[in-house]
Amino acid sequence: MEYVLKQIHHEPCSYYQFGDKIQSEINDYRRLSDIGIRIPKMIEVDVQNERVLKEYIEGDTIYDLVCRDEMKDDYVSQVKDMCRLLYPSNTNIDYFPTNFVVRDGLIYYIDFECNNYMDEWNFENWGIKYWSKTPEFMEYWNSHR
């Protein structure tokens, strides 16, 4: 079995105050698991050193698939299925396409970050802008290659 070791980092951010990031990671994992979102298993947490060991999900990210013109309508349908679970639970996830991996035709949300629901940050108003070669996607792509 392969794993991912995530090290929590503390970058300065002038517009947002972070709380206990490792506890947030644990709480978000539980929240998404309880909602029924397809995510990697959290295997171990080292609270003192702020590390999370989680299952590795092999596959391409949605971002990579968009870049290679290999997106399928089914992947958007699958994230909308996730939204049908998330929204009634007052939850948004980070819909940016690097946070989703396709394995055996199924998408996995590989980040655990989630927040209380806000229309502004839902999939339909924000995330979808990055799931195809939209101007927003291309702007991001051009500034990060």
Side-chain angles (χ1 to χ4, degrees):
M1 185 174 203
E2 295 181 88
Y3 307 94
V4 171
L5 181 65
K6 179 177 181 177
Q7 175 68 58
I8 302 298
H9 60 284
H10 299 276
E11 72 281 356
C13 185
S14 61
Y15 61 89
Y16 188 80
Q17 184 69 20
F18 294 98
D20 184 340
K21 290 175 94 173
I22 192 70
Q23 191 58 53
S24 291
E25 191 85 2
I26 295 165
N27 294 343
D28 290 351
Y29 172 77
R30 288 183 184 143
R31 182 176 181 177
L32 294 173
S33 293
D34 289 347
I35 291 169
I37 302 303
R38 195 177 304 113
I39 54 176
K41 290 181 180 76
M42 181 182 279
I43 297 164
E44 188 71 41
V45 179
D46 178 346
V47 174
Q48 183 176 350
N49 292 303
E50 296 186 297
R51 294 185 184 124
V52 176
L53 186 67
K54 61 184 178 178
E55 172 187 17
Y56 172 68
I57 305 295
E58 184 175 354
D60 292 316
T61 66
I62 293 294
Y63 182 86
D64 293 332
L65 296 172
V66 171
C67 287
R68 295 195 313 255
D69 295 318
E70 295 177 9
M71 270 296 288
K72 296 181 180 178
D73 292 340
D74 183 54
Y75 303 148
V76 174
S77 295
Q78 287 184 52
V79 80
K80 287 182 177 181
D81 289 342
M82 288 183 179
C83 292
R84 282 190 272 283
L85 298 172
L86 291 162
Y87 298 171
S89 299
N90 190 40
T91 305
N92 268 337
I93 56 179
D94 184 345
Y95 296 103
F96 199 74
T98 55
N99 292 323
F100 294 83
V101 168
V102 178
R103 180 175 74 187
D104 299 328
L106 296 174
I107 62 169
Y108 289 77
Y109 178 57
I110 58 169
D111 195 1
F112 298 147
E113 180 187 345
C114 60
N115 295 290
N116 288 337
Y117 179 86
M118 290 176 59
D119 281 337
E120 176 182 5
W121 300 109
N122 72 13
F123 183 69
E124 295 79 9
N125 292 328
W126 183 83
I128 192 70
K129 295 177 184 178
Y130 297 93
W131 282 56
S132 63
K133 288 188 175 173
T134 61
E136 293 88 351
F137 180 93
M138 295 310 297
E139 180 181 329
Y140 179 86
W141 184 80
N142 283 322
S143 65
H144 289 85
R145 57 182 171 144

